[in-house]
């Protein structure tokens, strides 16, 4: 199993450009997440998808859109990139515990995005 | 809304000493409390978690304690080693939703 795979690993954009971060998991997990990580800010939730066909806003959704393409794939799109979106982006999927919202998150390796 | 506060933001200990990191949460319905470790340049990985029906869980040198009344839980690392140096995150997923909110992290440095 590859686990959670996200692409690209590195990307440089100019202000106003658009791009999509791709994420795929092969663990048959229902829930998937996108986080951004900035120095001193920890992991902040951008969007999440509880199950195929649903998406919800997290803590910092402005400037982003997501698509849950199928059970395996969850993409993050920046329509008009801004320097404030320079960050490391992590995709994750959740192994459900059996009830409730708990369970281990499995993270991808991260995508380092720089917006000039 | 959900809020997870984590302290301290940085922690330096001598090798062999213990380290304690504390998190407080706001949603009394939370029932699952994990801790993640992130080494430099790596992805976060789960190191230990606890359900609300127990007060403490141990796994070798690490342990997590939970006080549901006070709404806080703590990570304890004993006999620290240089390889424990990393950033540690707590989380408190809100029961009934799938939002998984993390604390702001603690950078632990173990000094040899």
């Amino acid at each position: 199993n590859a686990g959670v795979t996200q692409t690209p690993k590195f990307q440089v954009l100019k202000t106003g450009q658009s791009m999509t971060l791709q994420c795929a998991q092969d663990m048959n997990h229902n829930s998937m997440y996108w986080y951004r990580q900035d120095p001193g800010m920890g992991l902040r939730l951008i969007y999440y998808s509880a199950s195929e066909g649903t998406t919800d806003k997290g803590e910092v959704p402005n400037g982003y859109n997501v698509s849950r393409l199928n059970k395996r794939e969850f993409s993050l799109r920046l329509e008009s990139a801004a320097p404030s979106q320079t960050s490391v982006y992590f995709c994750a999927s959740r192994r459900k515990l059996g009830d409730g919202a708990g369970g281990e998150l499995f993270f991808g390796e991260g995508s380092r995005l720089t917006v000039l | 809304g959900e809020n997870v506060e984590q302290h301290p933001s940085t922690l330096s200990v001598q090798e062999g000493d213990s380290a304690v990191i504390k998190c407080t949460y706001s949603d009394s319905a939370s029932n699952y409390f994990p801790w993640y470790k992130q080494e430099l340049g790596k992805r976060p990985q789960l190191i230990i978690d606890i359900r609300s029906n127990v007060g403490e869980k141990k796994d070798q040198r690490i342990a997590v304690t939970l006080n549901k009344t006070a709404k806080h839980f703590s990570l304890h690392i004993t006999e620290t080693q240089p390889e424990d140096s990393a950033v540690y995150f707590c989380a408190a997923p809100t029961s009934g939703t799938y939002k998984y909110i993390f604390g702001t992290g603690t950078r632990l440095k173990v000094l040899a």
Side-chain angles (χ1 to χ4, degrees), chain A residues 4 31 33 35 37 40-43 45 48 50 57-59 90 94 97 99-105 107-109, chain B residues 31-32 34 36 38 41-46 49 51 87 89 93-105:
Chain A
V4 179
S31 302
Y33 302 79
Y35 291 90
Q37 185 171 35
M41 298 296 291
L43 293 159
L45 181 62
Y48 65 103
K57 295 179 180 179
E59 301 170 275
F90 285 99
R94 184 177 68 94
L97 267 183
D99 62 337
E104 181 176 359
L105 291 190
F107 286 86
E109 291 184 305
Chain B
N31 60 6
Y32 172 76
Y36 285 77
Q38 186 180 28
K42 304 287 188 181
R43 71 190 87 186
Q45 292 187 296
L46 180 71
D49 56 13
R51 299 296 298 272
V87 179
F89 294 98
T94 301
S95 180
T97 76
Y98 294 85
K99 281 182 104 168
Y100 214 110
I101 304 297
F102 284 86
T104 50

Side-chain angles (χ1 to χ4, degrees), chain B residues 4-67:
Chain B
V4 181
E5 294 188 1
Q6 183 173 345
H7 299 282
S9 57
T10 60
L11 179 60
S12 293
V13 299
Q14 290 294 132
E15 183 177 357
D17 287 350
S18 295
V20 181
I21 304 169
K22 182 176 176 179
C23 281
T24 59
Y25 59 97
S26 59
D27 188 350
S28 57
S30 294
N31 60 6
Y32 172 76
F33 307 94
W35 286 93
Y36 285 77
K37 176 183 181 181
Q38 186 180 28
E39 295 176 353
L40 188 62
K42 304 287 188 181
R43 71 190 87 186
Q45 292 187 296
L46 180 71
I47 55 170
I48 195 167
D49 56 13
I50 192 170
R51 299 296 298 272
S52 60
N53 56 348
V54 297
E56 182 176 7
K57 182 178 179 181
K58 285 184 179 180
D59 183 3
Q60 299 182 351
R61 294 186 299 106
I62 61 173
V64 55
T65 58
L66 172 65
N67 183 329

